[in-house]
Amino acid sequence: MPERRIRVVLGDHALNAEGLSAVLKGVATLNVVATADSPRKLTEAVKSKSPDVVIVDSEMLRAITGRGINGKSKVIQIADADAFVRTTPATRAVVRRTETSKALKEAIRRVAKGQTYEMPDAKGSVKLSRREQEIAKLVGRGLTNRIIAEELQLSEQSVKNLVSRVLKKAGLDNRVQLALARL
């Protein structure tokens, strides 16, 4: 008995979706059941096609999170090589546009099985110094600048400057986003 085909919906700009569809077309275990080039069309396709995996551009995913793509959907985010990736509760994998089709196919197989798939740089291309990584981790624990300063034996102003620098590098707006980010 043949293996059940993994049903895939693609959500990206038209040309990118066509390219992804062409790459996946020759894979016997995959079936691209719909492509969508807008958030509205993607939401409709996910609702009507009930895919096993949704492959979607990061920007489009952010536009529809909470409206059709939720934690029940198994999502692979497609991101530019240098973009910081803000994952959603539905994200099970992040694949950079610079990766190979082999990597994408492996991500699809794993995500369809309920696993996650993390590319080597999937936590974002944000390059943080060791000190900035420490700061991000402590902010993630919910510590204030004053407590972080005491713990790291720095001035509170130095901590404030480091937090601001991490936020800027990561493209985030506030400490809550930093706490939730996977850097």
Side-chain angles (χ1 to χ4, degrees):
M1 185 169 148
E3 186 178 339
R4 182 177 140 346
R5 296 177 82 188
I6 299 168
R7 296 170 48 82
V8 177
V9 167
L10 301 173
D12 206 335
H13 303 288
L15 189 57
N16 293 336
E18 286 176 22
L20 286 171
S21 185
V23 164
L24 300 177
K25 191 174 194 169
V27 182
T29 58
L30 302 178
N31 182 21
V32 177
V33 295
T35 60
D37 60 1
S38 73
R40 181 186 56 77
K41 289 178 184 175
L42 180 60
T43 301
E44 291 171 3
V46 169
K47 287 179 182 176
S48 68
K49 300 294 184 179
S50 300
D52 300 307
V53 176
V54 179
I55 301 172
V56 62
D57 172 73
S58 289
E59 289 181 29
M60 191 180 297
L61 180 60
R62 278 195 304 275
I64 63 170
T65 298
R67 295 181 291 139
I69 300 285
N70 54 40
K72 293 178 183 177
S73 299
K74 295 176 186 171
V75 171
I76 297 174
Q77 280 183 247
I78 302 294
D80 292 335
D82 59 348
F84 175 74
V85 178
R86 293 180 183 161
T87 59
T88 71
T91 302
R92 300 293 180 266
V94 176
V95 176
R96 301 288 181 177
R97 292 188 197 282
T98 54
E99 293 301 325
T100 64
S101 62
K102 182 179 178 181
L104 176 60
K105 292 168 191 174
E106 179 62 22
I108 294 168
R109 283 187 205 87
R110 288 190 188 183
V111 169
K113 291 178 183 176
Q115 302 169 350
T116 58
Y117 183 75
E118 190 167 323
M119 300 301 297
D121 70 342
K123 291 184 179 180
S125 59
V126 178
K127 303 289 188 236
L128 300 178
S129 69
R130 193 177 71 189
R131 179 64 85 185
E132 291 167 341
Q133 290 172 3
E134 273 183 299
I135 294 291
K137 186 184 297 183
L138 294 170
V139 168
R141 288 182 25 208
L143 302 181
T144 65
N145 287 350
R146 184 180 56 75
I147 293 171
I148 293 171
E150 289 172 9
E151 191 165 314
L152 298 179
Q153 298 179 345
L154 296 170
S155 72
E156 195 169 342
Q157 185 60 49
S158 292
V159 171
K160 184 177 178 181
N161 292 342
L162 284 163
V163 169
S164 294
R165 192 164 49 202
V166 171
L167 289 172
K168 184 176 180 177
K169 280 184 175 183
L172 302 173
D173 299 321
N174 57 54
R175 293 172 70 95
V176 173
Q177 289 177 340
L178 178 57
L180 295 174
R182 293 191 265 172
L183 299 177

